[in-house]
Structures are given as C-alpha cells and as structure tokens.
Amino acid sequence: MTRPAMNEVYAALAARARTVAGLGTCARVAAAASAVFLGLAVPGRLLGWPLLGVPGVSLALVAASTLIGYLVGRARPADLPRTLLRADVGLGTEARLSTLHAIQDRQDLAPFALRIAAGLPARPVSASVALPIPRRVAALLAVAATMALATVIAVSAIPRPRPPASAAPSAPIYVPTEVPPRAEPAPATASDALQAQAARDDAVPPAASSAPLADASSTTESSVAASDLPTRPQSALTLEEALQRIEERVAADPGSALSDAEREALATWVEGATDALAEAIRDLLAQSARGNTLAQVRAVLARPDVHASPSSQPPAAQRLPAPDTQATTAGPESVSAPSAGGAPASGSTPGRRGGAYPFFDEGAGGPTEITLVGATLPSTIGTAGDYSYYVTRSVPVEPPPDDPATPRGTPLALSYERASAIAAGRALPSDVLEAVRAYFTEITEGGL
Amino acid sequence: MITEADFQRASRAMSALQQAVGEVIVGHEDVIRATLIALLCRGNVLLEGVPGLGKTLLVRALAHATGLRFSRIQFTPDLMPADIVGTDIISETDGRRQFQFSPGPIFANVVLADEINRATPKTQSALLEAMEERTVTVGTHTYALEEPYVVLATENPIEMEGTYPLPEAQLDRFMLKAIVTFPELDELIEIVARNTEGEGIRLPRTEVSPQDVLLAREVARQVPIAEGMRAYIGRLVAATHPSSLLSPTSVRDYIGYGASPRAAIALTLASKANAFLDGQAHVRPVDIERLFRPVFAHRLILNFRGESEGIAVDSILDDVWKKVPLTS
C-alpha cells in the first residue's frame, strides 16, 4: 500500500474514531438527559408544570442534549496512535497499521515498512469494521431510548390536571354546532336533568370525558377557518340570515351551486322545521345541483314560515324552550339563552360537555350530544360591541329585542345587569348566578 | 541502516541457530527462545529448575552452535569474587616481574552461572557489573567483555538450605526468567534415547558466526513498535504497582514493589526480538503476551501478606494481564 493510500486510510479511521467518540459522548449524555428530563416529566405531569409535564418537551430536550453531546464528542481530535491500534484489533492486522504510522517518516526502517505493508490485507480497510461502535455505547443508547419511551408512555398515561377556570381566560370557547336528539328520555324537571347529567359525568372516566373536548377542538377549529357558515349561523344566524347570505353569494356568482358547507348548514334546519319548510329546504338541497340555485334560494326565502315560524332558528335553538315551555323541553346540555321574551333559550356551558345548571335543562327534548367548535374570540369587547359570538346557546343573555325597527347588524349591548335581572327573575340558585356573573366577567374581561 | 539483505541474513542465522539447538535439546522451546532473546537483546536469563533437566547442555549447545566462547561457573558458598572475575598475578617476562591480569571464567561470550544462589551475596554481586555494564573491574583497571555476551544463571527451587536468595537489584538485571520444567513422557524417552545410543549427544555446529549474532542483535533492536504498543507496555508495568489506579486488587493486596522501568525496557526489547525470531518486522500483541510473564515474574516483590499467604506471583500476573486491555 502506498503512502498516500495509507494516509487516506488514516484519515478515514480518524474520522470514524471521531464519530464513535461522538456516539460515546452522545450515549452518556442521552442516558443522563433521559434520566433527568424524563424523570422530571412524571412529577411535572402530576403537578401540571408548564413545560416539563409535556412528554414532547422532555423528549425534545433529551434529543437536543444528545445532539449536542454527539457534536461535542465528535469535535475532539482523534488520538491517532490509539485509534490505529484499535483498528488493528478490529481488523486483526496485529498492530501493522499503527506500526506503519509510527515509522512512516523513518527512511532507515524502509525494509521493515515494506514487510509490514506486505502483511496488510489486500482488500480496502473498512473503517466501520475496524472501529465498530462499542457494545457499551450501543447498550447505553438502547437504555436511554428505552428509558425515554417508557417515560413517555408513563407520562402520557397520567391525566393532566385541569387548570382552574380563571387561569385560562383566553382559551378557545367551543360553540356547539350540532345537537342531534338522543333516544334517552329527557328529565322532566330541572333537578332531574341535573341528576342525569351528574350520573353521566360520573359514568365517564376523566380521561375519556376530556378526550372529546380535545378532539372537537382539533377538528372544528379547521372548519371555522374554512367557512364561517357552519359555525356562526348555527349559533347566531337565523335560517333567514343564512339564506340571505347564500343568496348574496350565489347572486354574485350566478350558476354556482351550494357549497358543502352551505348544504351542511341548511341540512341542520330540516330536522326541526315544519313539514312544509323542511320540504322546501330539501328541494333546495336537491335542485341546487341542477343550476337553479338562486331561484330556489329566493323561493325558500320568500316563504313566510322562514321569517315567522320557530323554524327560523337553528334546530338546536328551535328545541330551546319558549319561556312558558322550557321546563319540559330543554335538554340537560342546553344552556339558557335569552329569548325575545326575556326567557332563556338554550345552549351549553362553554368548554363543558353538557350543561351543569338546572335551569339550562329546562324544557329540553332530551339529552343531547354536542359537537364543539373552537373559535378565537376578541380579547376584550367592553360594554358594547359585536358580542354576537358570545350570544350562543352557551350564553345566558337576551338576544336583541325582536323589533323590526332595529336594523340588522346593530351592535348588541352586553349587560350583565340585564342578564342578572333575568336570572333573578327566574329564582336561580345563587351558585348559578355566580357562574353567570363569572362568565360575564370573563368574556368582558371585567367590563359590564 | 538496516537493509533487506541484512534482515534476511540475520533472520536466516537465527533460524539456523534455533534449529541447531532444538536438535540437541528435547522440548523446552520456551527456554531456548528465552535464551536466544537474551542473546539478541544483550540480556541475561535466570533459569529456574531442578538439576538434570539439560540447562547446561542448552547453554553449551547455544555457544557451540555460534562459535562463541563458553564458560561455566559452579557457584558454591566458598566461591570468591576473584574466582569469577580473575585476579592479578605476578609474571616474569624478559627478566622483569610484573602484575599480569589473569581473567576469570566470566571472560567468555556465554557464561553459565550454575546454582547462582549458592554463592554468597558478595560473590553474586561480582556478576552485577558484568551483567549490566559488560565490563569487569579488577583493582583500578576495568576490562571490557567481548560481545556478544550473555549470562545464564540457574537456580534450584527445591534446595533452599544453605542458599542466598538473589537480592532484588541483581534479580532486576536478569532480563528474563525461564522455568525449566520436567519434560513430558515422550520427551523423556527421546532424551534417554539420544543420550544412550550411538555416539550420544553431539554439540551442534552451524555456519552462524558471532558477527551474524551481532547483526541479528542490530536488526532485532530496529524492529519497530507502535506507539500504542509502547503505551500498553507502560500500562502493564504501572499496573504492577500497588499505588497505581490500573492495578488489580491482588496487586494492591499482595505486592510490595512492582516492576521497574527496566522491566518496561526489557519487555519492549524482548518483544522485538521475539517478533524477529518469528520472522516478523514489527512488534505484535502476541509478542508482548508471550514475554510478559518471563519478564515480570522475578521482578514483583511480594509484601508480607503475600509471602505469608503463599501467593504465587504468576496468579497476580494473570490478574494484571486481564486488567489491562490492549486498547483503552
């Protein structure tokens, strides 16, 4: 083997030695970091620490430490004589490589060098074979990886403690968008509804009960971004408003059909509408595909029952009780929302699965399942402004008076005094009043 | 500068020498190898074994095969230093009387100091200068010994009555200690046959000259050794010291004094010579492994606990060997 070729071999072996050294350092760092960070993850999870309680954060810290360890270990120059001796052991060349390196500048030992080189194998020297990763390094890496995996699994199995309500003022508020009826019979009274809700809550394990919330947030937030219709119309728009919006859109784009979101939104009104109106909506859904969407929309919009009928409210809202009927029709998940007559409508407590207050359940048709939609809300709206986002079935405020003189789009005044008077008039328990007050305080951030 | 021709010539000479001695001595390959290594490294060998195992024959065969001068000194309690190194005697030349140095038996190329532990320490020490410095001082005059020069001393491990154990300083001057063991049965039968039939044992004669031996010495000394191997030898020596972090527990428990730096030098040179005798051009791990015990065995001094518990130095050397890896 010529001297340049030997120099190439030496360089390759030195590079490999640095890599192995880097792995050695990285294995030690990984084991230590796994023990420290992931060891902290369990108490962090239990105690609700902001970062270390999250397995992903701990894993990222371990990975970053490991990478740094590798880079630091690899940055150190290789001890070539020692490296070559190790390579000799790995290759079984009986110290030939290291001896050749020792005498490469000794011309007086040329006969020895020639004899030594002749004893080297003819095949190219494989650096990975010459300097394999030490078993203890591989074992240490395996231990670190196992420890990390085990800790992540263990930490994931520990439920996160729920932060106090006041601790998360800016958390997304999940608005119920769909309230299909359930076969379960509705409690006849408010107390029955509360008991039924409590029984369901008890039957659902904590982890399971929190999972739908997370799922809902992940799926519905994207739908909010995709279209405003499926969320807001159902919570705040009437059927008439929804149809008007569709009309405007189709008029601007003649020949276009209903979008999926619009179909989905309109379909929700079919269920609670009168037979005639439901038929008209079905016709609209069926025929709009044939290109006469605008005419069909206008035809439905022209129907008097769209304006006057209770069907002008979304199905969930439609099921909300009228002031005189709520005691027998509200479901347990329903939350009172102000109606024109000053009586609560329905809705759900934001972020909760189902209502928790007796009066929310008054008059519901039965227990319902709620799909939650996340929306990013204004941080502060003050005493007046567009709080229509908040006027959902979750919010016990009165909608604006159904005064035809009031122009559409007039900002609604948000007044706890008003809501408080309504609530007091219903002889609500003090804890419920307190909840209402706290909710108002939260959404207005202290405003009235 | 060593040429390829020099290497081949020296290698051939040593091969012939090994073969010639092997034809006379049955078995004892390790002892023959140790003797040749000492010859190549300007070293001395301590042969330990009971009488009658062929130690003297080995030394005589080696000297005869190389044409070197051989002398044998039987050490006894009344042996005096002058009996070994020689003395000035009065001689008369052309009517003039003057002191003339009469060299003792130490003036040879191959010296066999038989049962060296039977002589007094004073006489034993007469060998020190010759073994280490290759000179002999008588009175105020220093005489150089002729190269190649090698002292092979024997010890009887059984008869301890009336013996004077070699002091540590003198033990350290022996490069190797070789144990001459009792031959195997087939070897024993062969020995009997060779000594009782025909003309008996005939000392070998070869074409190897003292100059060939000197050339082989030079070549063996030039055999390269890797830095990592040198470091390995250093670690082995360090591990024999109780205070070293490298030392095994047995060393800390039973060793009073570990090997000296002279041991590291001896192991390096002996490994080179061993590689050369194997026809190799560099020191291999196996060379160190083969010479580790012969070089270290007589250099470790047991402490009181080791002595009282009858600890064998060989077992401690095994621990050292296992404890110190070739690559760290």
Side-chain angles (χ1 to χ4, degrees):
Chain A
M1 202 176 284
T2 62
R3 182 164 177 177
M6 288 305 300
N7 285 337
E8 284 181 15
V9 171
Y10 297 151
L13 290 173
R16 173 69 180 177
R18 288 201 307 275
T19 301
V20 173
L23 286 174
T25 309
C26 133
R28 289 191 290 273
V29 170
S34 297
V36 172
F37 289 122
L38 298 174
L40 287 173
V42 174
R45 183 77 167 190
L46 289 171
L47 299 174
W49 293 348
L51 286 178
L52 291 175
V54 182
V57 173
S58 295
L59 270 182
L61 289 173
V62 170
S65 307
T66 304
L67 179 63
I68 291 171
Y70 173 76
L71 294 176
V72 168
R74 201 180 188 287
R76 287 180 298 193
D79 180 355
L80 197 53
R82 187 174 152 215
T83 298
L84 293 176
L85 191 56
R86 285 177 51 209
D88 279 321
V89 173
L91 295 170
T93 47
E94 295 188 317
R96 282 187 171 84
L97 286 172
S98 50
T99 308
L100 272 177
H101 178 259
I103 65 171
Q104 64 178 351
D105 295 326
R106 296 276 306 274
Q107 291 300 322
D108 56 326
L109 297 178
F112 293 95
L114 289 173
R115 283 176 167 265
I116 296 168
L120 284 173
R123 61 187 178 348
V125 174
S126 167
S128 57
V129 173
L131 299 172
I133 296 171
R135 275 182 291 182
R136 59 186 168 82
V137 172
L140 207 53
L141 282 173
V143 165
T146 305
M147 193 158 38
L149 187 63
T151 311
V152 166
I153 291 172
V155 169
S156 301
I158 301 172
R160 296 181 88 179
R162 291 189 174 201
S166 59
S170 60
I173 295 175
Y174 294 98
V175 181
T177 60
E178 190 175 3
V179 189
R182 298 175 82 179
E184 192 177 323
T189 64
S191 60
D192 290 345
L194 182 59
Q195 287 167 4
Q197 177 63 37
R200 277 196 300 277
D201 287 347
D202 290 343
V204 179
S209 65
S210 61
L213 286 177
D215 292 342
S217 68
S218 62
T219 56
T220 56
E221 280 175 331
S222 59
S223 64
V224 167
S227 170
D228 191 37
L229 269 180
T231 56
R232 194 158 173 257
Q234 300 221 1
S235 58
L237 297 182
T238 63
L239 173 60
E240 179 186 8
E241 291 170 330
L243 287 168
Q244 285 170 344
R245 289 193 178 190
I246 294 171
E247 179 190 13
E248 289 170 10
R249 187 192 65 75
V250 176
D253 183 12
S256 65
L258 291 176
S259 68
D260 290 342
E262 290 164 344
R263 287 174 174 282
E264 204 175 307
L266 288 175
T268 61
W269 270 280
V270 172
E271 187 182 295
T274 59
D275 292 344
L277 181 58
E279 188 63 28
I281 296 173
R282 284 195 198 95
D283 288 345
L284 171 61
L285 292 173
Q287 295 185 19
S288 67
R290 294 198 288 270
N292 53 354
T293 307
L294 186 59
Q296 288 292 324
V297 169
R298 285 176 175 165
V300 176
L301 198 54
R303 293 178 64 89
D305 49 357
V306 169
H307 310 286
S309 168
S311 300
S312 62
Q313 291 294 323
Q318 187 187 8
R319 282 197 299 275
L320 297 178
D324 53 344
T325 60
Q326 62 183 349
T328 56
T329 57
E333 284 81 6
S334 300
V335 175
S336 64
S339 66
S346 69
S348 185
T349 302
R352 289 183 64 98
R353 185 174 180 271
Y357 310 118
F359 74 97
F360 295 160
D361 306 324
E362 293 172 357
T368 57
E369 189 120 336
I370 297 174
T371 301
L372 299 173
V373 176
T376 304
L377 301 178
S379 59
T380 302
I381 59 174
T383 57
D386 183 9
Y387 63 92
S388 55
Y389 273 104
Y390 302 102
V391 187
T392 68
R393 283 161 291 179
S394 309
V395 183
V397 297
E398 296 294 329
D402 192 11
D403 183 2
T406 304
R408 189 175 299 281
T410 301
L412 304 176
L414 178 63
S415 168
Y416 172 67
E417 300 299 335
R418 187 174 173 188
S420 177
I422 296 168
R426 293 176 184 162
L428 294 176
S430 60
D431 59 334
V432 175
L433 285 174
E434 180 58 27
V436 172
R437 191 201 60 75
Y439 182 69
F440 267 77
T441 302
E442 184 169 313
I443 66 173
T444 61
E445 295 198 351
L448 292 174
Chain B
M1 178 178 168
I2 303 296
T3 63
E4 176 62 23
D6 293 336
F7 191 99
Q8 290 185 3
R9 179 183 159 198
S11 189
R12 276 198 303 270
M14 295 316 293
S15 295
L17 197 54
Q18 284 187 89
Q19 186 178 357
V21 176
E23 286 175 358
V24 175
I25 305 297
V26 179
H28 298 310
E29 286 83 6
D30 287 345
V31 178
I32 296 171
R33 175 60 67 103
T35 307
L36 292 175
I37 287 172
L39 185 65
L40 288 175
C41 299
R42 296 180 84 241
N44 309 287
V45 180
L46 182 61
L47 303 172
E48 186 177 283
V50 296
L53 294 179
K55 298 187 289 290
T56 305
L57 179 62
L58 165 65
V59 179
R60 288 183 63 194
L62 177 65
H64 200 264
T66 52
L68 297 171
R69 276 198 301 140
F70 166 76
S71 69
R72 175 177 180 272
I73 307 168
Q74 180 63 50
F75 279 61
T76 58
D78 57 353
L79 188 70
M80 299 301 289
D83 298 334
I84 298 173
V85 299
T87 186
D88 288 329
I89 58 173
I90 296 176
S91 66
E92 187 172 345
T93 306
D94 299 332
R96 290 178 57 194
R97 290 181 180 176
Q98 58 183 4
F99 282 104
Q100 185 178 6
F101 178 67
S102 175
I106 203 171
F107 286 86
N109 297 110
V110 180
V111 176
L112 175 62
D114 216 356
E115 296 192 275
I116 189 174
N117 55 340
R118 289 197 176 280
T120 61
K122 182 181 180 181
T123 306
Q124 289 172 359
S125 64
L127 275 175
L128 285 178
E129 184 185 2
M131 290 169 63
E132 189 65 26
E133 311 296 336
R134 273 22 183 191
T135 59
V136 172
T137 301
V138 178
T140 59
H141 205 283
T142 299
Y143 302 91
L145 295 171
E146 183 184 358
E147 292 286 357
Y149 183 84
V150 60
V151 173
L152 299 116
T154 67
E155 268 189 337
N156 184 344
I158 297 175
E159 296 179 39
M160 302 304 292
E161 190 72 28
T163 62
Y164 302 90
L166 290 171
E168 284 76 14
Q170 189 155 353
L171 277 174
D172 200 31
R173 280 167 170 75
F174 286 100
M175 184 180 202
L176 304 165
K177 179 180 180 178
I179 307 298
V180 184
T181 57
F182 194 81
E184 300 290 330
L185 181 58
D186 54 342
E187 292 174 342
L188 180 62
I189 295 170
E190 177 67 20
I191 290 170
V192 171
R194 288 190 187 185
N195 283 274
T196 59
E197 292 179 5
E199 298 177 355
I201 295 293
R202 292 183 62 181
L203 293 178
R205 175 64 72 179
T206 66
E207 299 297 323
V208 178
S209 66
Q211 287 69 34
D212 291 332
V213 175
L214 291 175
L215 175 64
R217 270 189 180 182
E218 190 180 354
V219 173
R221 192 176 179 83
Q222 295 295 324
V223 168
I225 179 171
E227 289 177 35
M229 301 285 278
R230 264 200 291 268
Y232 179 46
I233 290 173
R235 289 198 302 276
L236 285 172
V237 171
T240 62
H241 289 261
S243 59
S244 171
L245 295 176
L246 297 170
S247 60
T249 308
S250 56
V251 168
R252 294 177 199 157
D253 290 344
Y254 302 120
I255 295 296
Y257 301 98
S260 66
R262 189 181 276 140
I265 297 169
L267 182 55
T268 304
L269 290 174
S271 299
K272 288 184 172 191
N274 188 69
F276 173 66
L277 289 173
D278 281 346
Q280 298 296 320
H282 70 291
V283 176
R284 306 156 298 169
V286 69
D287 299 318
I288 295 175
E289 182 178 6
R290 186 169 186 176
L291 275 304
F292 170 66
R293 287 170 185 79
V295 170
F296 281 51
H298 57 291
R299 289 184 159 98
L300 300 191
I301 309 299
L302 293 172
N303 59 17
F304 177 77
R305 185 178 169 192
E307 293 280 3
S308 61
E309 294 185 18
I311 300 297
V313 171
D314 280 348
S315 67
I316 295 177
L317 288 176
D318 288 341
D319 292 341
V320 171
W321 183 257
K322 289 173 188 167
K323 172 86 181 207
V324 181
L326 174 60
T327 57
S328 61

